[in-house]
Amino acid sequence: MKNNLRRFSIWYLVLFFLAILVAQNYLELRHLQNVSYSDFRQLIELQGVRDLVITTDIITGKLTPAGVEFLIKNGRNPELAALMKQEGAVEPHFTTIRLEDKDLLSRLDAQGIAYTARLDRTWLTSLLSWLLPMLILIGVWVYFIRKLGAGAGGGLMSIGKSKAKFYVEDETKVTFKDVAGVDEAIEELREIIEFLQNPGKFQSLGGKIPKGVLLVGPPGTGKTLLGRAVAGEAGVPFLSLTGSDFVEMFVGVGAARVRDLFAQAEEKAPCIIFIDELDAIGKARSVSPITGGHEERENTLNQLLSEMDGFDTRKGVIIMSATNRPEILDPALIRPGRFDRQILVDRPSLKGREDILKVHVRGVKLAEDVNLNTIAARTPGMVGADLANIVNEAALLAARKNKSAVSMKDFEEAIDRVMAGLEKRNRVMNPREKEIVAYHETGHALVAQSVPTADPVHRVSIIPRGIGALGYTLQLPTEDRYLMTKSELEDRLAVLLGGRVAEELVFQEASTGAQNDLYRATDIARSMIREYGMSEKLGPVTFERERRPLFLEAMMPPSAKDYSEATAQEIDQEVTALVRRAYDRAQNILAGKREVLDQVAKTLLEKEILEGDELRQLLAKTAAS
Ligand code: ADP
Ligand code: MG
Ligand code: ZN
């Protein structure tokens, strides 16, 4: 709006000058009589002219009544008579082209006619002659700059300025109540907000406040939403930017923006800086200086790193950030003193999904038959954004059918639609896959429970996470370990194979889901034989040489094995045998617990996550049976 006004005023200015020019010319022209030089010479003799102004090209002056009379009488200027009638006793101006006339001045002097000389141009015309084109040029220039800048936000003039938006509490209106299913993340964020509101309390106890908080999680889990909710809850200024805001076509702009952002933050402290989608600037810097190309982004990243280092949390500024792809972030960003606190914003569990649905149906009129729990159960692996989508889709469907409330059938249809979209992107398991994963994970858990030395099972989940892992079984060690015995490693092998064994036991065939388990198991087995000398057949011998740095490896031909081909074969056989034994062991364990396997897997299918007491109780039955 403001920009528009300014643009117009410049055009008005140009118009104004043009108008003056035209008006001036018009006024002059009206009374300006062209007189031939021969007439002019006669007019001098008649004293028909006075107050002459002589320039290099023309002579102007006023016509006396005698002059006017002469011109009219000779019929020289027909319009002159009309003018005289109209305006009465004015003395019209005249102009004539100056000719070479040596004794002009002496004749003027003889008649006592006053004259002055003047340079060709008046100050006004000379001023206008350069000012006007310039004004027009400036106008055009400004217009294009505005046009260019309009898309980018601030325009050229504000290029180095950060585009941080300030949100204050009552502006965003998003609070933690609008974010569901990520209770742990909210808990941690609350703590940080509390610090900002009451820094003294924490510092007096010597507590150290994290400088940077990184929200990590798959897309659509609500990271951006959490960021905005923090703004709503904190009651301190909140500077929000997206990583791509720093990436500009102009060199040096990103770094300048970072500098400006931190300068602003310092002014507003205590406050929160939120950089969404950090990966846009935080990508690991390229190793090879030859490839180059990303220097601009690196400058921005370096600037960010140095600003974070130079920052003192005691001033009460906390830098929050969010990313879907922590793995591509530059390691320097995650070092202590930078984003040293990482908060996982994970895919929601069954309960979490129900809570998220509750948030989103707040403004929706629901029919009586709608059961959010059932909807949550039908949407494993979906994230908050998907669920919001389902609610919206269902409401639209109901509206299209002119219903007064959204019914369960609309939801079912909406789920199918959204699911179809997601299946294309490979993000949702079908029920059969889910069942396989449930048995697979239960297999791990039961074997872990049954072998003597395995770490206790902490959590079993069939909520897919990341690429490849469809579920997981989390074992937490009860103590730190520096050494592992042979039987511990064998137990670990059995646990790793438990997943595959369970699948085969129940479905009579293997799936691809065990690939990572097999990889890890083989790796352990190979190390046991080649490195730790744990094979009875081969004896306490190691076959592994210390690894050389990669670049040396590349330059030199691979060294010959220092053992025979026959030994190599034996090593392979031993590795296979070790894995086989572990497999058989797992099979024995699970075959004897088929009932429990079914029971736990079924519970897992229902709840998707088993942990804590519930898991312990279920598994305790196992120990008894
Ligand atoms: P991210 O930044 O993690 O990719 P967003 O915060 O942009 O995800 O989420 C997109 C939308 O999905 C949100 O605006 C909100 O409507 C919905 N949403 C996502 N997660 C949640 C959640 N945990 N609770 C409520 N709504 C959510
Ligand atoms: Mg986001
Ligand atoms: Zn597995």
Side-chain angles (χ1 to χ4, degrees):
M1 275 288 115
K2 235 184 190 167
N3 279 354
N4 271 346
L5 279 180
R6 219 175 297 144
R7 177 158 79 226
F8 276 120
S9 69
I10 284 207
W11 285 115
Y12 283 144
L13 207 66
V14 172
L15 272 178
F16 176 71
F17 272 100
L18 274 174
I20 285 189
L21 211 67
V22 169
Q24 197 194 24
N25 269 338
Y26 175 75
L27 284 176
E28 264 179 20
L29 282 173
R30 256 181 75 107
H31 295 136
L32 200 62
Q33 303 300 316
N34 281 314
V35 172
S36 67
Y37 201 77
S38 57
D39 283 349
F40 174 63
R41 284 171 68 104
Q42 294 193 46
L43 283 170
I44 292 175
E45 305 311 318
L46 293 169
Q47 295 207 327
V49 292
R50 61 187 192 88
D51 298 341
L52 300 188
V53 177
I54 302 170
T55 74
T56 41
D57 297 325
I58 56 170
I59 299 169
T60 60
K62 285 178 177 172
L63 292 168
T64 62
V68 172
E69 199 183 323
F70 166 81
L71 288 175
I72 292 175
K73 199 173 72 197
N74 290 296
R76 299 281 203 255
N77 291 46
E79 79 284 358
L80 193 58
L83 185 72
M84 293 313 292
K85 245 182 236 149
Q86 220 177 64
E87 309 235 331
V90 287
E91 295 190 319
H93 289 252
F94 79 93
T95 179
T96 185
I97 308 288
R98 182 177 168 187
L99 291 181
E100 195 57 40
D101 188 354
K102 259 188 269 167
D103 49 302
L104 171 67
L105 294 185
S106 53
R107 273 185 289 123
L108 287 177
D109 287 337
Q111 296 297 336
I113 297 172
Y115 55 88
T116 54
R118 199 197 284 161
L119 286 175
D120 247 343
R121 295 167 162 194
T122 65
W123 67 269
L124 188 67
T125 51
S126 62
L127 191 72
L128 279 176
S129 67
W130 61 263
L131 196 64
L132 201 71
M134 209 164 86
L135 279 175
I136 291 174
L137 271 179
I138 288 176
V140 170
W141 184 67
V142 167
Y143 175 77
F144 277 108
I145 296 278
R146 288 272 155 74
K147 211 163 180 188
L148 196 78
L156 276 183
M157 308 305 177
S158 59
I159 261 179
K161 295 267 174 213
S162 80
K163 287 190 276 184
K165 287 189 203 80
F166 283 90
Y167 290 110
V168 201
E169 204 170 354
D170 44 321
E171 273 179 34
T172 76
K173 292 209 179 76
V174 180
T175 67
F176 285 148
K177 285 203 197 75
D178 300 305
V179 194
V182 284
D183 300 338
E184 282 168 43
I186 289 181
E187 222 33 66
E188 290 202 47
L189 288 172
R190 258 188 221 290
E191 206 178 284
I192 286 153
I193 289 172
E194 208 177 316
F195 156 73
L196 280 178
Q197 289 169 341
N198 195 353
K201 182 175 127 193
F202 287 80
Q203 272 150 21
S204 65
L205 294 174
K208 245 191 146 181
I209 309 306
K211 218 178 226 181
V213 180
L214 185 60
L215 300 175
V216 179
T221 45
K223 297 178 296 299
T224 305
L225 189 69
L226 267 175
R228 292 183 37 222
V230 168
E233 297 271 344
V236 297
F238 186 86
L239 291 98
S240 166
L241 274 138
T242 302
S244 53
D245 288 346
F246 293 105
V247 186
E248 282 277 350
M249 55 178 164
F250 299 103
V251 174
V253 170
R257 286 229 166 104
V258 173
R259 222 173 295 128
D260 185 67
L261 173 69
F262 279 80
Q264 280 193 54
E266 205 149 348
E267 261 169 45
K268 310 258 170 181
C271 72
I272 297 173
I273 296 176
F274 180 56
I275 304 176
D276 204 357
E277 284 156 36
L278 181 68
D279 33 290
I281 35 169
K283 260 181 242 165
R285 287 163 289 190
S286 53
V287 189
S288 156
I290 305 159
T291 55
H294 296 295
E295 277 191 20
E296 170 58 5
R297 203 196 60 232
E298 282 169 27
N299 287 343
T300 310
L301 175 58
N302 287 335
Q303 186 68 36
L304 179 65
L305 292 174
S306 81
E307 290 286 355
M308 285 189 82
D309 286 342
F311 229 79
D312 194 346
T313 29
R314 271 172 302 182
K315 288 190 192 123
V317 178
I318 284 182
I319 304 146
M320 235 172 93
S321 201
T323 182
N324 303 329
R325 305 195 284 170
E327 70 281 355
I328 66 162
L329 288 185
D330 196 292
L333 269 174
I334 322 176
R335 270 212 293 273
R338 283 151 187 177
F339 289 105
D340 40 14
R341 179 87 67 96
Q342 288 172 39
I343 299 182
L344 182 66
V345 187
D346 212 346
R347 289 180 195 275
S349 63
L350 179 72
K351 172 86 171 43
R353 290 200 299 273
E354 190 178 342
D355 292 343
I356 293 173
L357 284 169
K358 272 184 200 152
V359 169
H360 286 281
V361 297
R362 263 189 227 149
V364 177
K365 224 169 160 212
L366 295 183
E368 299 232 319
D369 66 339
V370 173
N371 185 337
L372 295 183
N373 184 275
T374 314
I375 298 170
R378 277 205 50 191
T379 51
M382 286 201 185
V383 294
D386 302 329
L387 296 169
N389 200 357
I390 285 179
V391 173
N392 186 44
E393 209 39 67
L396 289 179
L397 282 170
R400 211 170 295 154
K401 294 180 208 149
N402 293 322
K403 290 199 210 163
S404 59
V406 186
S407 72
M408 196 64 180
K409 210 165 149 278
D410 301 320
F411 273 105
E412 303 271 342
E413 217 178 313
I415 292 172
D416 289 342
R417 282 191 181 194
V418 172
M419 190 95 81
L422 294 179
E423 257 159 20
K424 277 192 206 130
R425 282 179 271 148
N426 262 334
R427 273 179 45 196
V428 181
M429 288 190 275
N430 67 34
R432 162 122 179 127
E433 284 170 333
K434 224 175 130 184
E435 207 181 346
I436 295 177
V437 174
Y439 273 102
H440 177 107
E441 298 304 331
T442 310
H444 285 309
L446 286 188
V447 176
Q449 184 70 18
S450 311
V451 295
T453 68
D455 295 320
V457 180
H458 183 73
R459 180 192 298 151
V460 188
S461 157
I462 57 167
I463 300 172
R465 59 184 53 211
I467 306 156
L470 296 174
Y472 68 97
T473 302
L474 182 66
Q475 293 172 267
L476 287 184
T478 35
E479 56 200 317
D480 282 342
R481 300 300 303 268
Y482 300 102
L483 277 180
M484 291 193 83
T485 64
K486 190 180 170 195
S487 55
E488 279 168 344
L489 286 170
E490 282 172 343
D491 284 354
R492 183 164 283 197
L493 282 180
V495 173
L496 280 171
L497 291 166
R500 159 62 63 92
V501 169
E503 284 180 38
E504 292 201 323
L505 203 63
V506 178
F507 303 101
Q508 276 82 45
E509 66 177 341
S511 79
T512 54
Q515 189 223 11
N516 185 256
D517 296 336
L518 297 184
Y519 177 83
R520 279 161 64 200
T522 312
D523 210 39
I524 291 176
R526 192 171 291 137
S527 297
M528 286 170 74
I529 306 294
R530 288 170 58 100
E531 291 172 51
Y532 309 139
M534 286 178 177
S535 158
E536 272 141 42
K537 206 159 158 201
L538 293 167
V541 183
T542 179
F543 299 97
E544 192 77 352
R545 289 219 265 160
E546 272 189 78
R547 295 211 173 93
R548 271 179 307 199
L550 262 180
F551 68 96
L552 282 180
E553 200 95 60
M555 288 194 300
M556 293 182 201
S559 59
K561 285 195 219 96
D562 44 9
Y563 46 84
S564 68
E565 210 40 58
T567 313
Q569 240 172 35
E570 249 178 308
I571 292 173
D572 287 343
Q573 279 164 9
E574 279 290 281
V575 170
T576 315
L578 202 54
V579 177
R580 268 240 90 83
R581 269 207 302 281
Y583 186 91
D584 292 342
R585 226 176 127 209
Q587 201 163 33
N588 278 336
I589 293 169
L590 290 181
K593 294 177 190 297
R594 181 58 207 268
E595 248 169 70
V596 198
L597 182 65
D598 285 338
Q599 198 184 335
V600 178
K602 216 165 273 159
T603 323
L604 188 56
L605 259 177
E606 243 167 65
K607 306 217 164 144
E608 293 180 3
I609 288 189
L610 285 175
E611 58 187 337
D613 285 340
E614 197 177 6
L615 180 65
R616 258 186 304 263
Q617 274 167 19
L618 270 172
L619 293 178
K621 277 193 214 146
T622 328
S625 68

